[in-house]
Amino acid sequence: DVKVTQSSRYLVKRTGEKVFLECVQDMDHENMFWYRQDPGLGLRLIYFSYDVKMKEKGDIPEGYSVSREKKERFSLILESASTNQTSMYLCASLGRPQNSPLHFGNGTRLTVT
Amino acid sequence: SQQGEEDPQALSIQEGENATMNCSYKTSINNLQWYRQNSGRGLVHLILIRSNEREKHSGRLRVTLDTSKKSSSLLITASRAADTASYFCATVSETSGSRLTFGEGTQLTVNP
């Protein structure tokens, strides 16, 4: 079974802090994704990566950056956390063929105070 | 922008009843997928239906796809309390590559 692991289930940070959310997958998947989930808004794509060192902006990239130095790890970075980034963050990976399902981690609930 | 829109937003039924959730989308798709999310957890894939398929079954799940109406439905038969969760549809459009676009989900409550 594919395993997608997010390093923290809960995180509390202060406004202005730099925040790193880590995600690791163990199935050699090429594609990895970061979503945020908010009540009434569903899942919105922040960034995705289809290969090492490659990244693409999703629908709401503002205030975020990502890093993919190794195939198995995809990091989401909040350069200067703000209260409107309080949310549930979900990482997912996707292998080949592209008509395949996403595999999600259990999420990181981030609170910015 | 959100592609899929689920209907209803919330559904409450008794154990043993069937639950039907609908999803509408706007652009042409390669496939449509349904996911389930238990409270506070990640999403789990349930079923994928390709654009050239009309119906698919998996256990107590039945998914239909009508590309002319740009809509899909998920039917859960003989529901159980353990089916209580949020259900999301997600689409892969013909032009989006591997990107999935999710709807806002339907919250299903199955009462024992």
Side-chain angles (χ1 to χ4, degrees):
Chain A
D1 273 356
V2 176
K3 190 158 186 186
V4 179
T5 303
Q6 294 183 232
S7 55
S8 304
R9 287 298 311 278
Y10 301 94
L11 213 50
V12 180
K13 296 291 181 181
R14 293 192 181 277
T15 302
E17 278 193 80
K18 189 169 186 176
V19 182
F20 293 85
L21 302 184
E22 305 288 346
C23 176
V24 177
Q25 51 94 3
D26 65 357
M27 282 301 290
D28 203 35
H29 282 175
E30 290 80 11
N31 301 282
M32 296 186 75
F33 305 80
W34 275 106
Y35 289 88
R36 67 176 279 179
Q37 183 178 21
D38 301 286
L41 296 175
L43 276 77
R44 294 179 291 167
L45 182 63
I46 305 171
Y47 265 98
F48 66 103
S49 167
Y50 52 88
D51 205 347
V52 176
K53 296 192 188 295
M54 307 301 287
K55 60 184 179 184
E56 292 276 348
K57 292 180 180 179
D59 298 317
I60 51 162
E62 295 79 19
Y64 303 94
S65 62
V66 290
S67 171
R68 186 122 183 246
E69 295 298 317
K70 293 185 178 181
K71 194 173 187 180
E72 67 270 19
R73 186 180 297 270
F74 192 35
S75 304
L76 180 69
I77 304 156
L78 287 66
E79 295 290 342
S80 177
S82 64
T83 55
N84 62 14
Q85 293 178 309
T86 291
S87 187
M88 170 71 105
Y89 289 88
L90 293 164
C91 174
S93 73
L94 174 71
R96 294 183 188 274
Q98 287 191 341
N99 265 345
S100 300
L102 285 180
H103 297 269
F104 280 87
N106 276 328
T108 296
R109 184 163 294 281
L110 173 68
T111 301
V112 182
T113 61
Chain B
S1 60
Q2 290 295 328
Q3 163 87 309
E5 294 183 6
E6 287 91 343
D7 168 50
Q9 288 188 320
L11 181 61
S12 181
I13 59 174
Q14 297 299 123
E15 251 187 339
E17 294 180 343
N18 295 340
T20 299
M21 289 160 271
N22 302 298
C23 169
S24 60
Y25 58 91
K26 295 176 182 149
T27 63
S28 296
I29 60 170
N30 275 333
N31 67 70
L32 184 144
Q33 304 177 27
W34 284 92
Y35 288 79
R36 166 196 168 124
Q37 183 182 34
N38 289 347
S39 180
R41 313 293 285 189
L43 279 72
V44 175
H45 178 259
L46 295 175
I47 198 163
L48 181 153
I49 187 164
R50 291 180 171 77
S51 59
N52 61 352
E53 297 175 312
R54 292 296 166 257
E55 189 170 312
K56 207 159 181 183
H57 297 254
S58 177
R60 292 184 296 114
L61 305 181
R62 173 178 168 249
V63 169
T64 61
L65 179 65
D66 187 335
T67 52
S68 67
K69 294 181 179 177
K70 291 187 167 58
S71 67
S72 172
S73 67
L74 171 67
L75 168 68
I76 304 174
T77 60
S79 63
R80 305 166 183 167
D83 294 328
T84 294
S86 292
Y87 292 83
F88 294 86
C89 71
T91 54
V92 177
S93 75
E94 289 180 341
T95 56
S96 69
S98 56
R99 288 177 59 160
L100 269 75
T101 302
F102 286 82
E104 294 174 22
T106 293
Q107 172 61 50
L108 173 66
T109 302
V110 182
N111 301 299

